[in-house]
Amino acid sequence: MALVMMAMLFMLEERVEQQEDYPLLTCSDIETLLAHFLPRRDIDADEVIRQMELRHKKRQASIDSCFNKQQLE
């Protein structure tokens, strides 16, 4: 949640800072600019699949943990 709040603060600060030059600047505009200008490492299909599988394992562990806590109550 803290990261989301920091991202929202960054978006707000950018919109306020650019108010004079770009009064209709949106969060989507900022996201597009960041995607274009920030460096990214190239990843192949195997890496994308590995990252997805890791997220799924973490998500399943969270679901299992929640289920186990409910069973104890």
PDB file of all heavy atoms in Angstrom, residues 19-40:
ATOM      1  N   GLN A  19       1.547  21.861 -14.544  1.00  0.00           N
ATOM      2  CA  GLN A  19       0.231  22.487 -14.723  1.00  0.00           C
ATOM      3  C   GLN A  19       0.236  23.582 -15.787  1.00  0.00           C
ATOM      4  O   GLN A  19      -0.657  23.650 -16.616  1.00  0.00           O
ATOM      5  CB  GLN A  19      -0.266  23.058 -13.392  1.00  0.00           C
ATOM      6  CG  GLN A  19      -1.653  23.630 -13.444  1.00  0.00           C
ATOM      7  CD  GLN A  19      -2.724  22.571 -13.461  1.00  0.00           C
ATOM      8  OE1 GLN A  19      -2.541  21.518 -12.902  1.00  0.00           O
ATOM      9  NE2 GLN A  19      -3.838  22.842 -14.103  1.00  0.00           N
ATOM     10  N   GLU A  20       1.241  24.445 -15.767  1.00  0.00           N
ATOM     11  CA  GLU A  20       1.269  25.562 -16.718  1.00  0.00           C
ATOM     12  C   GLU A  20       1.486  25.097 -18.154  1.00  0.00           C
ATOM     13  O   GLU A  20       0.812  25.558 -19.073  1.00  0.00           O
ATOM     14  CB  GLU A  20       2.364  26.557 -16.335  1.00  0.00           C
ATOM     15  CG  GLU A  20       1.976  27.452 -15.185  1.00  0.00           C
ATOM     16  CD  GLU A  20       3.014  28.535 -14.961  1.00  0.00           C
ATOM     17  OE1 GLU A  20       3.643  28.980 -15.944  1.00  0.00           O
ATOM     18  OE2 GLU A  20       3.184  28.923 -13.795  1.00  0.00           O
ATOM     19  N   ASP A  21       2.440  24.186 -18.344  1.00  0.00           N
ATOM     20  CA  ASP A  21       2.773  23.740 -19.699  1.00  0.00           C
ATOM     21  C   ASP A  21       1.776  22.717 -20.250  1.00  0.00           C
ATOM     22  O   ASP A  21       1.478  22.716 -21.441  1.00  0.00           O
ATOM     23  CB  ASP A  21       4.172  23.133 -19.734  1.00  0.00           C
ATOM     24  CG  ASP A  21       5.235  24.159 -19.394  1.00  0.00           C
ATOM     25  OD1 ASP A  21       5.022  25.350 -19.688  1.00  0.00           O
ATOM     26  OD2 ASP A  21       6.277  23.763 -18.834  1.00  0.00           O
ATOM     27  N   TYR A  22       1.293  21.841 -19.386  1.00  0.00           N
ATOM     28  CA  TYR A  22       0.389  20.766 -19.809  1.00  0.00           C
ATOM     29  C   TYR A  22      -0.786  20.657 -18.829  1.00  0.00           C
ATOM     30  O   TYR A  22      -0.828  19.765 -17.983  1.00  0.00           O
ATOM     31  CB  TYR A  22       1.136  19.427 -19.864  1.00  0.00           C
ATOM     32  CG  TYR A  22       2.343  19.468 -20.768  1.00  0.00           C
ATOM     33  CD1 TYR A  22       3.625  19.587 -20.245  1.00  0.00           C
ATOM     34  CD2 TYR A  22       2.189  19.407 -22.145  1.00  0.00           C
ATOM     35  CE1 TYR A  22       4.728  19.643 -21.079  1.00  0.00           C
ATOM     36  CE2 TYR A  22       3.292  19.460 -22.979  1.00  0.00           C
ATOM     37  CZ  TYR A  22       4.552  19.578 -22.437  1.00  0.00           C
ATOM     38  OH  TYR A  22       5.647  19.632 -23.278  1.00  0.00           O
ATOM     39  N   PRO A  23      -1.758  21.536 -18.948  1.00  0.00           N
ATOM     40  CA  PRO A  23      -2.855  21.557 -17.971  1.00  0.00           C
ATOM     41  C   PRO A  23      -3.739  20.309 -18.005  1.00  0.00           C
ATOM     42  O   PRO A  23      -4.410  20.011 -17.026  1.00  0.00           O
ATOM     43  CB  PRO A  23      -3.651  22.806 -18.351  1.00  0.00           C
ATOM     44  CG  PRO A  23      -3.292  23.092 -19.759  1.00  0.00           C
ATOM     45  CD  PRO A  23      -1.891  22.588 -19.951  1.00  0.00           C
ATOM     46  N   LEU A  24      -3.729  19.562 -19.099  1.00  0.00           N
ATOM     47  CA  LEU A  24      -4.570  18.367 -19.202  1.00  0.00           C
ATOM     48  C   LEU A  24      -3.777  17.076 -19.005  1.00  0.00           C
ATOM     49  O   LEU A  24      -4.248  15.996 -19.365  1.00  0.00           O
ATOM     50  CB  LEU A  24      -5.281  18.341 -20.559  1.00  0.00           C
ATOM     51  CG  LEU A  24      -6.208  19.529 -20.828  1.00  0.00           C
ATOM     52  CD1 LEU A  24      -6.808  19.431 -22.212  1.00  0.00           C
ATOM     53  CD2 LEU A  24      -7.291  19.609 -19.776  1.00  0.00           C
ATOM     54  N   LEU A  25      -2.591  17.167 -18.420  1.00  0.00           N
ATOM     55  CA  LEU A  25      -1.749  16.004 -18.181  1.00  0.00           C
ATOM     56  C   LEU A  25      -2.464  15.011 -17.272  1.00  0.00           C
ATOM     57  O   LEU A  25      -2.978  15.372 -16.215  1.00  0.00           O
ATOM     58  CB  LEU A  25      -0.431  16.434 -17.532  1.00  0.00           C
ATOM     59  CG  LEU A  25       0.617  15.348 -17.345  1.00  0.00           C
ATOM     60  CD1 LEU A  25       1.142  14.886 -18.702  1.00  0.00           C
ATOM     61  CD2 LEU A  25       1.757  15.859 -16.480  1.00  0.00           C
ATOM     62  N   THR A  26      -2.505  13.760 -17.698  1.00  0.00           N
ATOM     63  CA  THR A  26      -3.173  12.726 -16.907  1.00  0.00           C
ATOM     64  C   THR A  26      -2.152  11.722 -16.392  1.00  0.00           C
ATOM     65  O   THR A  26      -1.008  11.684 -16.853  1.00  0.00           O
ATOM     66  CB  THR A  26      -4.209  11.967 -17.755  1.00  0.00           C
ATOM     67  OG1 THR A  26      -3.526  11.248 -18.785  1.00  0.00           O
ATOM     68  CG2 THR A  26      -5.236  12.903 -18.353  1.00  0.00           C
ATOM     69  N   CYS A  27      -2.586  10.885 -15.472  1.00  0.00           N
ATOM     70  CA  CYS A  27      -1.727   9.821 -14.970  1.00  0.00           C
ATOM     71  C   CYS A  27      -1.359   8.864 -16.103  1.00  0.00           C
ATOM     72  O   CYS A  27      -0.242   8.356 -16.159  1.00  0.00           O
ATOM     73  CB  CYS A  27      -2.424   9.076 -13.832  1.00  0.00           C
ATOM     74  SG  CYS A  27      -2.591  10.074 -12.340  1.00  0.00           S
ATOM     75  N   SER A  28      -2.290   8.639 -17.001  1.00  0.00           N
ATOM     76  CA  SER A  28      -2.006   7.782 -18.148  1.00  0.00           C
ATOM     77  C   SER A  28      -0.915   8.390 -19.024  1.00  0.00           C
ATOM     78  O   SER A  28      -0.044   7.666 -19.538  1.00  0.00           O
ATOM     79  CB  SER A  28      -3.280   7.576 -18.964  1.00  0.00           C
ATOM     80  OG  SER A  28      -3.022   6.769 -20.083  1.00  0.00           O
ATOM     81  N   ASP A  29      -0.938   9.698 -19.202  1.00  0.00           N
ATOM     82  CA  ASP A  29       0.116  10.371 -19.960  1.00  0.00           C
ATOM     83  C   ASP A  29       1.481  10.162 -19.298  1.00  0.00           C
ATOM     84  O   ASP A  29       2.474   9.862 -19.964  1.00  0.00           O
ATOM     85  CB  ASP A  29      -0.152  11.876 -20.061  1.00  0.00           C
ATOM     86  CG  ASP A  29      -1.398  12.215 -20.846  1.00  0.00           C
ATOM     87  OD1 ASP A  29      -1.791  11.418 -21.723  1.00  0.00           O
ATOM     88  OD2 ASP A  29      -1.977  13.283 -20.577  1.00  0.00           O
ATOM     89  N   ILE A  30       1.522  10.320 -17.996  1.00  0.00           N
ATOM     90  CA  ILE A  30       2.773  10.156 -17.252  1.00  0.00           C
ATOM     91  C   ILE A  30       3.262   8.720 -17.377  1.00  0.00           C
ATOM     92  O   ILE A  30       4.454   8.472 -17.593  1.00  0.00           O
ATOM     93  CB  ILE A  30       2.588  10.562 -15.776  1.00  0.00           C
ATOM     94  CG1 ILE A  30       2.260  12.052 -15.682  1.00  0.00           C
ATOM     95  CG2 ILE A  30       3.839  10.240 -14.965  1.00  0.00           C
ATOM     96  CD1 ILE A  30       1.801  12.504 -14.317  1.00  0.00           C
ATOM     97  N   GLU A  31       2.361   7.769 -17.270  1.00  0.00           N
ATOM     98  CA  GLU A  31       2.729   6.355 -17.402  1.00  0.00           C
ATOM     99  C   GLU A  31       3.315   6.077 -18.787  1.00  0.00           C
ATOM    100  O   GLU A  31       4.323   5.382 -18.918  1.00  0.00           O
ATOM    101  CB  GLU A  31       1.506   5.479 -17.164  1.00  0.00           C
ATOM    102  CG  GLU A  31       1.784   4.009 -17.240  1.00  0.00           C
ATOM    103  CD  GLU A  31       0.548   3.170 -17.043  1.00  0.00           C
ATOM    104  OE1 GLU A  31      -0.527   3.719 -16.725  1.00  0.00           O
ATOM    105  OE2 GLU A  31       0.647   1.944 -17.229  1.00  0.00           O
ATOM    106  N   THR A  32       2.700   6.631 -19.812  1.00  0.00           N
ATOM    107  CA  THR A  32       3.197   6.446 -21.181  1.00  0.00           C
ATOM    108  C   THR A  32       4.590   7.048 -21.337  1.00  0.00           C
ATOM    109  O   THR A  32       5.480   6.436 -21.939  1.00  0.00           O
ATOM    110  CB  THR A  32       2.221   7.091 -22.187  1.00  0.00           C
ATOM    111  OG1 THR A  32       0.940   6.493 -22.032  1.00  0.00           O
ATOM    112  CG2 THR A  32       2.701   6.918 -23.611  1.00  0.00           C
ATOM    113  N   LEU A  33       4.795   8.239 -20.795  1.00  0.00           N
ATOM    114  CA  LEU A  33       6.108   8.878 -20.868  1.00  0.00           C
ATOM    115  C   LEU A  33       7.168   8.053 -20.131  1.00  0.00           C
ATOM    116  O   LEU A  33       8.282   7.868 -20.644  1.00  0.00           O
ATOM    117  CB  LEU A  33       6.045  10.289 -20.275  1.00  0.00           C
ATOM    118  CG  LEU A  33       5.273  11.310 -21.104  1.00  0.00           C
ATOM    119  CD1 LEU A  33       5.002  12.564 -20.285  1.00  0.00           C
ATOM    120  CD2 LEU A  33       6.035  11.638 -22.376  1.00  0.00           C
ATOM    121  N   LEU A  34       6.832   7.567 -18.954  1.00  0.00           N
ATOM    122  CA  LEU A  34       7.787   6.760 -18.200  1.00  0.00           C
ATOM    123  C   LEU A  34       8.133   5.471 -18.940  1.00  0.00           C
ATOM    124  O   LEU A  34       9.293   5.057 -18.981  1.00  0.00           O
ATOM    125  CB  LEU A  34       7.223   6.429 -16.810  1.00  0.00           C
ATOM    126  CG  LEU A  34       7.149   7.596 -15.829  1.00  0.00           C
ATOM    127  CD1 LEU A  34       6.458   7.154 -14.548  1.00  0.00           C
ATOM    128  CD2 LEU A  34       8.523   8.149 -15.546  1.00  0.00           C
ATOM    129  N   ALA A  35       7.125   4.832 -19.526  1.00  0.00           N
ATOM    130  CA  ALA A  35       7.372   3.587 -20.264  1.00  0.00           C
ATOM    131  C   ALA A  35       8.295   3.837 -21.452  1.00  0.00           C
ATOM    132  O   ALA A  35       9.100   2.973 -21.814  1.00  0.00           O
ATOM    133  CB  ALA A  35       6.054   2.987 -20.737  1.00  0.00           C
ATOM    134  N   HIS A  36       8.188   5.010 -22.038  1.00  0.00           N
ATOM    135  CA  HIS A  36       9.011   5.315 -23.201  1.00  0.00           C
ATOM    136  C   HIS A  36      10.441   5.709 -22.818  1.00  0.00           C
ATOM    137  O   HIS A  36      11.397   5.301 -23.471  1.00  0.00           O
ATOM    138  CB  HIS A  36       8.374   6.447 -24.019  1.00  0.00           C
ATOM    139  CG  HIS A  36       9.164   6.833 -25.216  1.00  0.00           C
ATOM    140  ND1 HIS A  36       9.218   6.052 -26.343  1.00  0.00           N
ATOM    141  CD2 HIS A  36       9.957   7.897 -25.454  1.00  0.00           C
ATOM    142  CE1 HIS A  36      10.012   6.631 -27.232  1.00  0.00           C
ATOM    143  NE2 HIS A  36      10.468   7.756 -26.715  1.00  0.00           N
ATOM    144  N   PHE A  37      10.601   6.501 -21.763  1.00  0.00           N
ATOM    145  CA  PHE A  37      11.902   7.070 -21.454  1.00  0.00           C
ATOM    146  C   PHE A  37      12.734   6.285 -20.444  1.00  0.00           C
ATOM    147  O   PHE A  37      13.959   6.425 -20.426  1.00  0.00           O
ATOM    148  CB  PHE A  37      11.745   8.512 -20.963  1.00  0.00           C
ATOM    149  CG  PHE A  37      11.363   9.448 -22.061  1.00  0.00           C
ATOM    150  CD1 PHE A  37      10.092   9.998 -22.099  1.00  0.00           C
ATOM    151  CD2 PHE A  37      12.247   9.775 -23.066  1.00  0.00           C
ATOM    152  CE1 PHE A  37       9.724  10.861 -23.122  1.00  0.00           C
ATOM    153  CE2 PHE A  37      11.892  10.633 -24.094  1.00  0.00           C
ATOM    154  CZ  PHE A  37      10.624  11.176 -24.121  1.00  0.00           C
ATOM    155  N   LEU A  38      12.117   5.496 -19.595  1.00  0.00           N
ATOM    156  CA  LEU A  38      12.901   4.743 -18.612  1.00  0.00           C
ATOM    157  C   LEU A  38      13.540   3.528 -19.273  1.00  0.00           C
ATOM    158  O   LEU A  38      12.908   2.845 -20.080  1.00  0.00           O
ATOM    159  CB  LEU A  38      12.022   4.291 -17.445  1.00  0.00           C
ATOM    160  CG  LEU A  38      11.555   5.378 -16.500  1.00  0.00           C
ATOM    161  CD1 LEU A  38      10.689   4.772 -15.395  1.00  0.00           C
ATOM    162  CD2 LEU A  38      12.723   6.118 -15.879  1.00  0.00           C
ATOM    163  N   PRO A  39      14.787   3.237 -18.905  1.00  0.00           N
ATOM    164  CA  PRO A  39      15.431   2.057 -19.503  1.00  0.00           C
ATOM    165  C   PRO A  39      14.796   0.773 -18.975  1.00  0.00           C
ATOM    166  O   PRO A  39      14.362   0.700 -17.824  1.00  0.00           O
ATOM    167  CB  PRO A  39      16.886   2.179 -19.034  1.00  0.00           C
ATOM    168  CG  PRO A  39      16.828   3.024 -17.813  1.00  0.00           C
ATOM    169  CD  PRO A  39      15.651   3.931 -17.975  1.00  0.00           C
ATOM    170  N   ARG A  40      14.710  -0.193 -19.856  1.00  0.00           N
ATOM    171  CA  ARG A  40      14.157  -1.499 -19.470  1.00  0.00           C
ATOM    172  C   ARG A  40      15.104  -2.579 -19.955  1.00  0.00           C
ATOM    173  O   ARG A  40      15.715  -2.455 -21.004  1.00  0.00           O
ATOM    174  CB  ARG A  40      12.797  -1.728 -20.124  1.00  0.00           C
ATOM    175  CG  ARG A  40      11.732  -0.770 -19.622  1.00  0.00           C
ATOM    176  CD  ARG A  40      10.437  -1.047 -20.289  1.00  0.00           C
ATOM    177  NE  ARG A  40      10.129  -2.462 -20.263  1.00  0.00           N
ATOM    178  CZ  ARG A  40       8.996  -2.981 -20.651  1.00  0.00           C
ATOM    179  NH1 ARG A  40       8.051  -2.210 -21.110  1.00  0.00           N
ATOM    180  NH2 ARG A  40       8.786  -4.270 -20.597  1.00  0.00           N
TER     181      ARG A  40
END
